[in-house]
Amino acid sequence: MLEQNADVVMHSTSSSLAKVMDQLLACLEAESCIVSTCEELSYPFRTHPDLAAKLDAAAKEWGVALVGTGVNPGFVMDKLVVTLAAVVQRIEHAKALRIVDASTRRLPLQKKIGAGMTVEEFRAQVKAGVISTSACRSPQHGGGQLEFAVEQITETIEPKVAAERVQTEYLTIEPGQAAGVHQIARGMSKDGKELVYLELQMYVGAKDPADTISLTGHRTSAW
């Protein structure tokens, strides 16, 4: 396809930047602009500085653009937070909580969040970088849009352990096995003050799935 002189490539193959580097470089070298859904292209200079610099240099060399479309669930934990904050004069803290029942989701997603693994297997996959929802990039984006001086980002990823047997169309999760992922990311100021708090619970059998956003600050006098 690249031999057909494509002006733009819509790239959607993997969430891992390392896995798609050869694909992206090939498109850039073909002088094609790229719009990619690769989640790790969201603020790549923080998480993959060497790879990001290589892509930046290649795009400049060939005179084309490379754009990452963002992170899923970026709308709730990024865009919606910023949109709601638009009517507030000053924001001091932003919090987003997303609870997702993965029971009805497709098999690749259930596997991606570690459903059906032992706790030990889950932790090993987290350590290997296989299990990650990319939510940790949201404090960087949201903090920047809200004009927060986010200097530090902390992240924890833990298994959500099943308390009872849960059956999906694809998997059976026994009590004590991982039902999914519980991830918390915090954006901190230079002096350690929490500015952004993001929590994602995505697991099979989640109770009361919902999206909750809390903003602390000062409203405008027009309210």
Side-chain angles (χ1 to χ4, degrees):
M1 291 297 296
L2 294 179
E3 296 176 356
Q4 305 303 314
N5 298 320
D7 293 324
V8 180
V9 172
M10 308 297 289
H11 175 263
S12 183
T13 60
S14 174
S15 296
S16 168
L17 182 55
K19 289 182 179 179
V20 302
M21 276 296 293
D22 289 344
Q23 300 168 10
L24 297 176
L25 290 172
C27 294
L28 295 175
E29 291 171 6
E31 299 184 38
S32 297
C33 293
I34 306 170
V35 178
S36 177
T37 64
C38 177
E39 292 185 355
E40 290 189 347
L41 275 174
S42 179
Y43 285 87
F45 285 97
R46 188 180 71 83
T47 53
H48 299 284
D50 294 340
L51 299 183
K54 189 173 182 179
L55 289 172
D56 185 56
K60 290 175 179 177
E61 178 183 355
W62 296 104
V64 289
L66 166 59
V67 178
T69 59
V71 173
N72 178 36
F75 176 73
V76 171
M77 304 184 87
D78 286 343
K79 176 61 177 175
L80 188 55
V81 175
V82 175
T83 300
L84 292 175
V87 296
V88 182
Q89 193 172 46
R90 187 172 75 251
I91 295 292
E92 296 175 349
H93 185 270
K95 176 181 178 180
L97 166 64
R98 187 168 209 217
I99 302 175
V100 180
D101 182 6
S103 300
T104 59
R105 301 300 181 93
R106 64 195 189 280
L107 178 60
L109 180 94
Q110 293 181 12
K111 287 185 173 181
K112 182 178 180 179
I113 61 174
M117 293 183 181
T118 66
V119 172
E120 292 74 16
E121 290 171 337
F122 183 97
R123 295 191 189 283
Q125 291 297 296
V126 170
K127 188 175 182 180
V130 176
I131 295 179
S132 176
T133 63
S134 298
C136 65
R137 289 161 181 80
S138 293
Q140 191 80 24
H141 171 72
Q145 294 294 312
L146 295 173
E147 298 184 353
F148 286 158
V150 174
E151 297 289 343
Q152 309 171 53
I153 293 179
T154 64
E155 178 190 17
T156 60
I157 304 178
E158 296 291 339
K160 200 73 176 179
V161 180
E164 57 186 13
R165 193 170 189 262
V166 184
Q167 181 77 50
T168 77
E169 181 182 354
Y170 310 104
L171 299 172
T172 299
I173 294 90
E174 301 292 347
Q177 290 184 326
V181 65
H182 183 193
Q183 186 170 5
I184 296 175
R186 291 181 170 91
M188 318 291 286
S189 66
K190 190 174 183 179
D191 59 1
K193 180 182 178 181
E194 181 181 283
L195 302 173
V196 182
Y197 176 94
L198 301 174
E199 181 175 354
L200 175 65
Q201 300 182 32
M202 184 181 291
Y203 62 101
V204 172
K207 307 298 183 183
D208 302 320
D211 296 313
T212 305
I213 294 173
S214 301
L215 299 174
T216 302
H218 300 269
R219 66 184 185 183
T220 64
S221 58
W223 278 27

Short mmCIF file of all heavy atoms in Angstrom, two decimals, residues 129-193:
data_model
loop_
_atom_site.label_atom_id
_atom_site.label_comp_id
_atom_site.label_asym_id
_atom_site.label_seq_id
_atom_site.Cartn_x
_atom_site.Cartn_y
_atom_site.Cartn_z
N GLY A 129 5.10 -5.43 31.65
CA GLY A 129 4.52 -4.37 30.84
C GLY A 129 3.40 -4.83 29.93
O GLY A 129 2.93 -4.07 29.08
N VAL A 130 2.93 -6.07 30.12
CA VAL A 130 1.87 -6.61 29.27
C VAL A 130 0.51 -6.06 29.71
O VAL A 130 -0.33 -5.70 28.88
CB VAL A 130 1.86 -8.14 29.31
CG1 VAL A 130 0.68 -8.70 28.51
CG2 VAL A 130 3.18 -8.69 28.79
N ILE A 131 0.28 -5.98 31.02
CA ILE A 131 -0.98 -5.45 31.54
C ILE A 131 -0.79 -3.99 31.90
O ILE A 131 -0.04 -3.65 32.81
CB ILE A 131 -1.46 -6.25 32.78
CG1 ILE A 131 -1.80 -7.68 32.39
CG2 ILE A 131 -2.67 -5.57 33.40
CD1 ILE A 131 -2.26 -8.54 33.54
N SER A 132 -1.45 -3.13 31.17
CA SER A 132 -1.44 -1.70 31.43
C SER A 132 -2.52 -1.07 30.59
O SER A 132 -2.66 -1.41 29.42
CB SER A 132 -0.08 -1.08 31.09
OG SER A 132 -0.13 0.32 31.27
N THR A 133 -3.30 -0.17 31.18
CA THR A 133 -4.39 0.47 30.45
C THR A 133 -4.01 1.84 29.91
O THR A 133 -4.84 2.52 29.33
CB THR A 133 -5.62 0.63 31.35
OG1 THR A 133 -5.27 1.49 32.44
CG2 THR A 133 -6.07 -0.71 31.90
N SER A 134 -2.78 2.26 30.13
CA SER A 134 -2.30 3.58 29.68
C SER A 134 -2.97 4.73 30.41
O SER A 134 -2.84 5.88 30.00
CB SER A 134 -2.49 3.76 28.17
OG SER A 134 -1.75 2.82 27.46
N ALA A 135 -3.70 4.45 31.48
CA ALA A 135 -4.37 5.53 32.21
C ALA A 135 -3.38 6.51 32.81
O ALA A 135 -3.71 7.66 33.06
CB ALA A 135 -5.25 4.95 33.32
N CYS A 136 -2.14 6.08 33.05
CA CYS A 136 -1.16 6.95 33.69
C CYS A 136 -0.80 8.14 32.82
O CYS A 136 -0.21 9.10 33.30
CB CYS A 136 0.10 6.16 34.04
SG CYS A 136 1.01 5.53 32.63
N ARG A 137 -1.12 8.11 31.53
CA ARG A 137 -0.82 9.25 30.68
C ARG A 137 -1.85 10.37 30.84
O ARG A 137 -1.60 11.50 30.49
CB ARG A 137 -0.75 8.80 29.23
CG ARG A 137 0.48 7.95 28.95
CD ARG A 137 0.36 7.13 27.69
NE ARG A 137 1.55 6.33 27.52
CZ ARG A 137 1.78 5.19 28.16
NH1 ARG A 137 0.91 4.74 29.02
NH2 ARG A 137 2.89 4.52 27.97
N SER A 138 -3.01 10.03 31.37
CA SER A 138 -4.07 11.03 31.51
C SER A 138 -3.71 12.18 32.45
O SER A 138 -4.09 13.32 32.18
CB SER A 138 -5.37 10.36 31.95
OG SER A 138 -5.87 9.52 30.93
N PRO A 139 -3.04 11.95 33.58
CA PRO A 139 -2.68 13.11 34.42
C PRO A 139 -1.83 14.12 33.69
O PRO A 139 -1.93 15.33 33.93
CB PRO A 139 -1.90 12.46 35.58
CG PRO A 139 -2.40 11.08 35.65
CD PRO A 139 -2.66 10.69 34.22
N GLN A 140 -0.98 13.66 32.78
CA GLN A 140 -0.13 14.58 32.03
C GLN A 140 -0.97 15.44 31.09
O GLN A 140 -0.82 16.65 31.02
CB GLN A 140 0.89 13.77 31.20
CG GLN A 140 1.99 14.60 30.59
CD GLN A 140 3.07 14.94 31.58
OE1 GLN A 140 3.26 14.25 32.56
NE2 GLN A 140 3.80 16.00 31.33
N HIS A 141 -1.92 14.79 30.39
CA HIS A 141 -2.77 15.52 29.46
C HIS A 141 -3.74 16.43 30.20
O HIS A 141 -3.81 17.64 29.94
CB HIS A 141 -3.56 14.55 28.59
CG HIS A 141 -4.61 15.20 27.76
ND1 HIS A 141 -4.32 15.99 26.67
CD2 HIS A 141 -5.96 15.21 27.87
CE1 HIS A 141 -5.44 16.45 26.15
NE2 HIS A 141 -6.45 15.98 26.85
N GLY A 142 -4.51 15.85 31.14
CA GLY A 142 -5.50 16.63 31.87
C GLY A 142 -4.87 17.74 32.68
O GLY A 142 -5.38 18.87 32.71
N GLY A 143 -3.74 17.45 33.31
CA GLY A 143 -3.06 18.47 34.09
C GLY A 143 -2.61 19.63 33.25
O GLY A 143 -2.70 20.79 33.63
N GLY A 144 -2.13 19.33 32.03
CA GLY A 144 -1.69 20.40 31.14
C GLY A 144 -2.85 21.25 30.67
O GLY A 144 -2.76 22.48 30.62
N GLN A 145 -3.98 20.61 30.34
CA GLN A 145 -5.15 21.34 29.88
C GLN A 145 -5.74 22.21 30.98
O GLN A 145 -6.31 23.27 30.72
CB GLN A 145 -6.21 20.36 29.36
CG GLN A 145 -5.79 19.60 28.12
CD GLN A 145 -5.63 20.51 26.92
OE1 GLN A 145 -6.50 21.32 26.63
NE2 GLN A 145 -4.52 20.37 26.20
N LEU A 146 -5.63 21.75 32.23
CA LEU A 146 -6.17 22.52 33.36
C LEU A 146 -5.16 23.50 33.92
O LEU A 146 -5.39 24.14 34.95
CB LEU A 146 -6.61 21.55 34.47
CG LEU A 146 -7.78 20.63 34.12
CD1 LEU A 146 -8.00 19.61 35.22
CD2 LEU A 146 -9.05 21.42 33.86
N GLU A 147 -4.01 23.58 33.26
CA GLU A 147 -2.93 24.49 33.66
C GLU A 147 -2.38 24.14 35.04
O GLU A 147 -1.97 25.01 35.81
CB GLU A 147 -3.40 25.96 33.61
CG GLU A 147 -3.80 26.40 32.22
CD GLU A 147 -4.16 27.87 32.14
OE1 GLU A 147 -4.23 28.53 33.19
OE2 GLU A 147 -4.37 28.35 31.01
N PHE A 148 -2.39 22.85 35.36
CA PHE A 148 -1.74 22.38 36.57
C PHE A 148 -0.25 22.18 36.30
O PHE A 148 0.14 21.76 35.21
CB PHE A 148 -2.31 21.02 37.02
CG PHE A 148 -3.68 21.11 37.65
CD1 PHE A 148 -4.50 20.00 37.68
CD2 PHE A 148 -4.13 22.28 38.22
CE1 PHE A 148 -5.75 20.05 38.27
CE2 PHE A 148 -5.38 22.35 38.80
CZ PHE A 148 -6.20 21.24 38.83
N ALA A 149 0.55 22.45 37.30
CA ALA A 149 1.99 22.21 37.17
C ALA A 149 2.29 20.80 37.66
O ALA A 149 2.82 20.59 38.74
CB ALA A 149 2.77 23.24 37.98
N VAL A 150 1.91 19.81 36.84
CA VAL A 150 2.15 18.41 37.20
C VAL A 150 3.62 18.09 36.97
O VAL A 150 4.11 18.09 35.85
CB VAL A 150 1.26 17.46 36.38
CG1 VAL A 150 1.62 16.02 36.67
CG2 VAL A 150 -0.22 17.72 36.68
N GLU A 151 4.32 17.81 38.06
CA GLU A 151 5.76 17.53 37.98
C GLU A 151 6.06 16.06 38.23
O GLU A 151 7.08 15.54 37.77
CB GLU A 151 6.50 18.37 39.02
CG GLU A 151 6.40 19.88 38.80
CD GLU A 151 7.19 20.34 37.59
OE1 GLU A 151 8.06 19.58 37.13
OE2 GLU A 151 6.91 21.45 37.10
N GLN A 152 5.19 15.36 38.95
CA GLN A 152 5.41 13.96 39.28
C GLN A 152 4.13 13.17 38.98
O GLN A 152 3.03 13.66 39.22
CB GLN A 152 5.76 13.79 40.76
CG GLN A 152 6.86 14.68 41.28
CD GLN A 152 6.96 14.60 42.79
OE1 GLN A 152 7.06 13.53 43.37
NE2 GLN A 152 6.92 15.76 43.44
N ILE A 153 4.30 11.95 38.49
CA ILE A 153 3.16 11.07 38.26
C ILE A 153 3.46 9.72 38.91
O ILE A 153 4.51 9.13 38.69
CB ILE A 153 2.89 10.88 36.76
CG1 ILE A 153 2.40 12.19 36.14
CG2 ILE A 153 1.84 9.79 36.54
CD1 ILE A 153 2.13 12.12 34.66
N THR A 154 2.55 9.28 39.75
CA THR A 154 2.67 7.96 40.37
C THR A 154 1.56 7.07 39.86
O THR A 154 0.47 7.55 39.54
CB THR A 154 2.60 8.06 41.91
OG1 THR A 154 1.29 8.54 42.29
CG2 THR A 154 3.66 8.99 42.44
N GLU A 155 1.83 5.78 39.80
CA GLU A 155 0.85 4.84 39.27
C GLU A 155 0.93 3.52 40.01
O GLU A 155 2.03 3.04 40.32
CB GLU A 155 1.09 4.61 37.77
CG GLU A 155 0.14 3.61 37.15
CD GLU A 155 0.55 3.22 35.74
OE1 GLU A 155 1.72 3.47 35.38
OE2 GLU A 155 -0.28 2.67 35.02
N THR A 156 -0.22 2.95 40.30
CA THR A 156 -0.28 1.60 40.87
C THR A 156 -1.23 0.76 40.02
O THR A 156 -2.25 1.26 39.54
CB THR A 156 -0.78 1.62 42.33
OG1 THR A 156 -2.10 2.18 42.38
CG2 THR A 156 0.15 2.42 43.22
N ILE A 157 -0.88 -0.48 39.82
CA ILE A 157 -1.73 -1.43 39.10
C ILE A 157 -1.83 -2.70 39.93
O ILE A 157 -0.82 -3.37 40.19
CB ILE A 157 -1.16 -1.78 37.71
CG1 ILE A 157 -0.95 -0.52 36.87
CG2 ILE A 157 -2.11 -2.74 36.98
CD1 ILE A 157 -0.34 -0.79 35.52
N GLU A 158 -3.03 -3.02 40.36
CA GLU A 158 -3.28 -4.18 41.19
C GLU A 158 -4.38 -5.04 40.57
O GLU A 158 -5.24 -4.53 39.84
CB GLU A 158 -3.69 -3.77 42.61
CG GLU A 158 -2.62 -3.02 43.38
CD GLU A 158 -1.43 -3.90 43.76
OE1 GLU A 158 -1.61 -5.14 43.79
OE2 GLU A 158 -0.34 -3.36 44.01
N PRO A 159 -4.38 -6.34 40.88
CA PRO A 159 -5.48 -7.17 40.37
C PRO A 159 -6.75 -6.94 41.19
O PRO A 159 -6.69 -6.71 42.40
CB PRO A 159 -4.95 -8.59 40.57
CG PRO A 159 -4.02 -8.48 41.74
CD PRO A 159 -3.39 -7.12 41.62
N LYS A 160 -7.88 -6.98 40.52
CA LYS A 160 -9.16 -7.01 41.20
C LYS A 160 -9.50 -8.49 41.37
O LYS A 160 -9.76 -9.19 40.40
CB LYS A 160 -10.22 -6.29 40.36
CG LYS A 160 -11.43 -5.86 41.14
CD LYS A 160 -11.13 -4.67 42.03
CE LYS A 160 -12.40 -4.19 42.72
NZ LYS A 160 -12.14 -3.05 43.61
N VAL A 161 -9.47 -8.97 42.59
CA VAL A 161 -9.59 -10.40 42.85
C VAL A 161 -11.06 -10.79 43.00
O VAL A 161 -11.83 -10.13 43.72
CB VAL A 161 -8.81 -10.79 44.13
CG1 VAL A 161 -8.94 -12.28 44.40
CG2 VAL A 161 -7.33 -10.41 43.97
N ALA A 162 -11.45 -11.85 42.30
CA ALA A 162 -12.84 -12.31 42.33
C ALA A 162 -13.17 -12.92 43.69
O ALA A 162 -12.42 -13.74 44.22
CB ALA A 162 -13.07 -13.35 41.23
N ALA A 163 -14.30 -12.51 44.25
CA ALA A 163 -14.77 -13.06 45.53
C ALA A 163 -15.67 -14.27 45.31
O ALA A 163 -15.90 -15.06 46.23
CB ALA A 163 -15.51 -11.99 46.31
N GLU A 164 -16.18 -14.42 44.09
CA GLU A 164 -17.06 -15.54 43.75
C GLU A 164 -16.83 -15.94 42.30
O GLU A 164 -16.17 -15.22 41.55
CB GLU A 164 -18.53 -15.14 43.96
CG GLU A 164 -18.94 -13.92 43.16
CD GLU A 164 -20.35 -13.46 43.50
OE1 GLU A 164 -20.90 -13.92 44.52
OE2 GLU A 164 -20.89 -12.63 42.74
N ARG A 165 -17.37 -17.07 41.93
CA ARG A 165 -17.21 -17.56 40.57
C ARG A 165 -17.99 -16.67 39.59
O ARG A 165 -19.16 -16.37 39.82
CB ARG A 165 -17.71 -19.01 40.48
CG ARG A 165 -17.33 -19.75 39.21
CD ARG A 165 -17.69 -21.23 39.38
NE ARG A 165 -17.16 -22.04 38.32
CZ ARG A 165 -17.87 -22.43 37.24
NH1 ARG A 165 -19.14 -22.05 37.13
NH2 ARG A 165 -17.33 -23.19 36.33
N VAL A 166 -17.31 -16.28 38.52
CA VAL A 166 -17.94 -15.42 37.51
C VAL A 166 -17.76 -16.06 36.14
O VAL A 166 -16.65 -16.47 35.77
CB VAL A 166 -17.32 -14.00 37.50
CG1 VAL A 166 -18.07 -13.12 36.51
CG2 VAL A 166 -17.36 -13.39 38.90
N GLN A 167 -18.84 -16.16 35.39
CA GLN A 167 -18.82 -16.78 34.08
C GLN A 167 -19.11 -15.73 33.01
O GLN A 167 -20.06 -14.96 33.12
CB GLN A 167 -19.88 -17.89 34.00
CG GLN A 167 -19.93 -18.62 32.67
CD GLN A 167 -18.80 -19.63 32.52
OE1 GLN A 167 -18.57 -20.43 33.42
NE2 GLN A 167 -18.09 -19.58 31.41
N THR A 168 -18.28 -15.69 31.97
CA THR A 168 -18.56 -14.85 30.82
C THR A 168 -18.74 -15.75 29.60
O THR A 168 -18.66 -16.97 29.70
CB THR A 168 -17.41 -13.85 30.55
OG1 THR A 168 -16.31 -14.55 29.92
CG2 THR A 168 -16.94 -13.19 31.83
N GLU A 169 -18.99 -15.14 28.47
CA GLU A 169 -19.13 -15.92 27.23
C GLU A 169 -17.85 -16.66 26.90
O GLU A 169 -17.86 -17.70 26.24
CB GLU A 169 -19.51 -14.98 26.08
CG GLU A 169 -19.72 -15.67 24.75
CD GLU A 169 -20.05 -14.70 23.64
OE1 GLU A 169 -20.24 -13.50 23.93
OE2 GLU A 169 -20.11 -15.14 22.47
N TYR A 170 -16.70 -16.13 27.38
CA TYR A 170 -15.41 -16.67 26.98
C TYR A 170 -14.64 -17.32 28.13
O TYR A 170 -13.85 -18.24 27.90
CB TYR A 170 -14.54 -15.55 26.41
CG TYR A 170 -15.22 -14.72 25.36
CD1 TYR A 170 -15.68 -13.44 25.65
CD2 TYR A 170 -15.41 -15.20 24.06
CE1 TYR A 170 -16.31 -12.66 24.70
CE2 TYR A 170 -16.04 -14.43 23.10
CZ TYR A 170 -16.49 -13.16 23.42
OH TYR A 170 -17.12 -12.40 22.48
N LEU A 171 -14.83 -16.83 29.36
CA LEU A 171 -13.96 -17.24 30.46
C LEU A 171 -14.77 -17.61 31.70
O LEU A 171 -15.90 -17.14 31.88
CB LEU A 171 -13.00 -16.11 30.83
CG LEU A 171 -12.02 -15.61 29.77
CD1 LEU A 171 -11.32 -14.36 30.29
CD2 LEU A 171 -11.02 -16.68 29.42
N THR A 172 -14.14 -18.41 32.54
CA THR A 172 -14.67 -18.67 33.87
C THR A 172 -13.62 -18.22 34.88
O THR A 172 -12.48 -18.69 34.85
CB THR A 172 -14.97 -20.17 34.08
OG1 THR A 172 -15.96 -20.58 33.13
CG2 THR A 172 -15.49 -20.42 35.49
N ILE A 173 -14.00 -17.30 35.75
CA ILE A 173 -13.08 -16.79 36.76
C ILE A 173 -13.48 -17.37 38.10
O ILE A 173 -14.62 -17.20 38.55
CB ILE A 173 -13.10 -15.24 36.82
CG1 ILE A 173 -12.55 -14.65 35.52
CG2 ILE A 173 -12.26 -14.74 37.98
CD1 ILE A 173 -13.57 -14.40 34.46
N GLU A 174 -12.55 -18.08 38.72
CA GLU A 174 -12.81 -18.72 40.00
C GLU A 174 -12.47 -17.76 41.13
O GLU A 174 -11.67 -16.83 40.96
CB GLU A 174 -11.99 -20.00 40.13
CG GLU A 174 -12.26 -21.04 39.05
CD GLU A 174 -13.66 -21.66 39.15
OE1 GLU A 174 -14.32 -21.45 40.20
OE2 GLU A 174 -14.08 -22.33 38.19
N PRO A 175 -13.07 -17.98 42.32
CA PRO A 175 -12.72 -17.14 43.48
C PRO A 175 -11.22 -17.18 43.75
O PRO A 175 -10.60 -18.23 43.69
CB PRO A 175 -13.51 -17.80 44.62
CG PRO A 175 -14.64 -18.49 43.96
CD PRO A 175 -14.12 -18.97 42.64
N GLY A 176 -10.64 -16.01 43.98
CA GLY A 176 -9.20 -15.93 44.23
C GLY A 176 -8.39 -15.60 42.99
O GLY A 176 -7.23 -15.23 43.10
N GLN A 177 -9.00 -15.74 41.80
CA GLN A 177 -8.30 -15.37 40.57
C GLN A 177 -8.52 -13.89 40.27
O GLN A 177 -9.43 -13.25 40.80
CB GLN A 177 -8.82 -16.21 39.39
CG GLN A 177 -8.42 -17.66 39.43
CD GLN A 177 -8.88 -18.41 38.20
OE1 GLN A 177 -9.94 -18.12 37.63
NE2 GLN A 177 -8.09 -19.38 37.76
N ALA A 178 -7.68 -13.36 39.41
CA ALA A 178 -7.84 -11.96 38.98
C ALA A 178 -9.05 -11.85 38.07
O ALA A 178 -9.21 -12.63 37.13
CB ALA A 178 -6.59 -11.49 38.26
N ALA A 179 -9.92 -10.89 38.39
CA ALA A 179 -11.09 -10.63 37.54
C ALA A 179 -10.85 -9.45 36.62
O ALA A 179 -11.62 -9.21 35.70
CB ALA A 179 -12.32 -10.36 38.42
N GLY A 180 -9.77 -8.73 36.87
CA GLY A 180 -9.46 -7.57 36.05
C GLY A 180 -8.46 -6.67 36.74
O GLY A 180 -7.70 -7.12 37.62
N VAL A 181 -8.46 -5.41 36.38
CA VAL A 181 -7.41 -4.49 36.80
C VAL A 181 -7.98 -3.34 37.64
O VAL A 181 -9.10 -2.88 37.41
CB VAL A 181 -6.66 -3.92 35.57
CG1 VAL A 181 -7.59 -3.08 34.72
CG2 VAL A 181 -5.44 -3.11 35.98
N HIS A 182 -7.19 -2.93 38.62
CA HIS A 182 -7.51 -1.75 39.45
C HIS A 182 -6.29 -0.84 39.38
O HIS A 182 -5.24 -1.14 39.94
CB HIS A 182 -7.80 -2.17 40.89
CG HIS A 182 -8.20 -1.02 41.76
ND1 HIS A 182 -8.25 -1.11 43.14
CD2 HIS A 182 -8.58 0.25 41.46
CE1 HIS A 182 -8.63 0.05 43.64
NE2 HIS A 182 -8.84 0.89 42.64
N GLN A 183 -6.43 0.27 38.69
CA GLN A 183 -5.30 1.15 38.41
C GLN A 183 -5.59 2.56 38.95
O GLN A 183 -6.67 3.09 38.76
CB GLN A 183 -5.04 1.23 36.91
CG GLN A 183 -3.79 2.00 36.52
CD GLN A 183 -3.45 1.82 35.04
OE1 GLN A 183 -4.19 1.20 34.29
NE2 GLN A 183 -2.33 2.36 34.63
N ILE A 184 -4.60 3.12 39.61
CA ILE A 184 -4.72 4.47 40.14
C ILE A 184 -3.50 5.28 39.68
O ILE A 184 -2.36 4.83 39.81
CB ILE A 184 -4.78 4.48 41.69
CG1 ILE A 184 -6.05 3.77 42.17
CG2 ILE A 184 -4.75 5.91 42.22
CD1 ILE A 184 -6.12 3.63 43.67
N ALA A 185 -3.76 6.46 39.13
CA ALA A 185 -2.69 7.36 38.71
C ALA A 185 -2.90 8.71 39.38
O ALA A 185 -4.03 9.21 39.45
CB ALA A 185 -2.67 7.51 37.19
N ARG A 186 -1.82 9.28 39.87
CA ARG A 186 -1.89 10.58 40.53
C ARG A 186 -0.90 11.54 39.88
O ARG A 186 0.26 11.18 39.62
CB ARG A 186 -1.55 10.45 42.02
CG ARG A 186 -2.60 9.72 42.85
CD ARG A 186 -2.18 9.67 44.31
NE ARG A 186 -3.24 9.20 45.18
CZ ARG A 186 -3.41 7.92 45.51
NH1 ARG A 186 -2.59 7.01 45.01
NH2 ARG A 186 -4.40 7.57 46.31
N GLY A 187 -1.34 12.77 39.65
CA GLY A 187 -0.47 13.84 39.18
C GLY A 187 -0.18 14.77 40.34
O GLY A 187 -1.10 15.31 40.95
N MET A 188 1.10 14.95 40.65
CA MET A 188 1.50 15.71 41.83
C MET A 188 2.27 16.97 41.43
O MET A 188 2.93 17.03 40.40
CB MET A 188 2.39 14.85 42.73
CG MET A 188 1.93 13.40 42.89
SD MET A 188 0.43 13.23 43.84
CE MET A 188 1.06 13.56 45.48
N SER A 189 2.17 17.98 42.29
CA SER A 189 2.96 19.19 42.10
C SER A 189 4.40 18.94 42.54
O SER A 189 4.72 17.87 43.09
CB SER A 189 2.37 20.35 42.91
OG SER A 189 2.49 20.08 44.30
N LYS A 190 5.25 19.90 42.33
CA LYS A 190 6.66 19.76 42.70
C LYS A 190 6.84 19.52 44.19
O LYS A 190 7.75 18.80 44.63
CB LYS A 190 7.45 20.99 42.26
CG LYS A 190 8.96 20.85 42.37
CD LYS A 190 9.66 22.06 41.78
CE LYS A 190 11.17 21.88 41.81
NZ LYS A 190 11.86 23.06 41.21
N ASP A 191 5.95 20.12 45.00
CA ASP A 191 6.06 19.96 46.45
C ASP A 191 5.23 18.79 46.98
O ASP A 191 5.04 18.65 48.19
CB ASP A 191 5.65 21.25 47.17
CG ASP A 191 4.22 21.67 46.83
OD1 ASP A 191 3.55 20.94 46.06
OD2 ASP A 191 3.78 22.72 47.33
N GLY A 192 4.73 17.94 46.08
CA GLY A 192 4.04 16.73 46.50
C GLY A 192 2.54 16.85 46.70
O GLY A 192 1.90 15.90 47.16
N LYS A 193 1.95 17.95 46.33
CA LYS A 193 0.51 18.13 46.47
C LYS A 193 -0.21 17.44 45.32
O LYS A 193 0.14 17.60 44.16
CB LYS A 193 0.15 19.62 46.48
CG LYS A 193 -1.35 19.88 46.61
CD LYS A 193 -1.63 21.37 46.55
CE LYS A 193 -3.13 21.65 46.64
NZ LYS A 193 -3.43 23.10 46.54
#
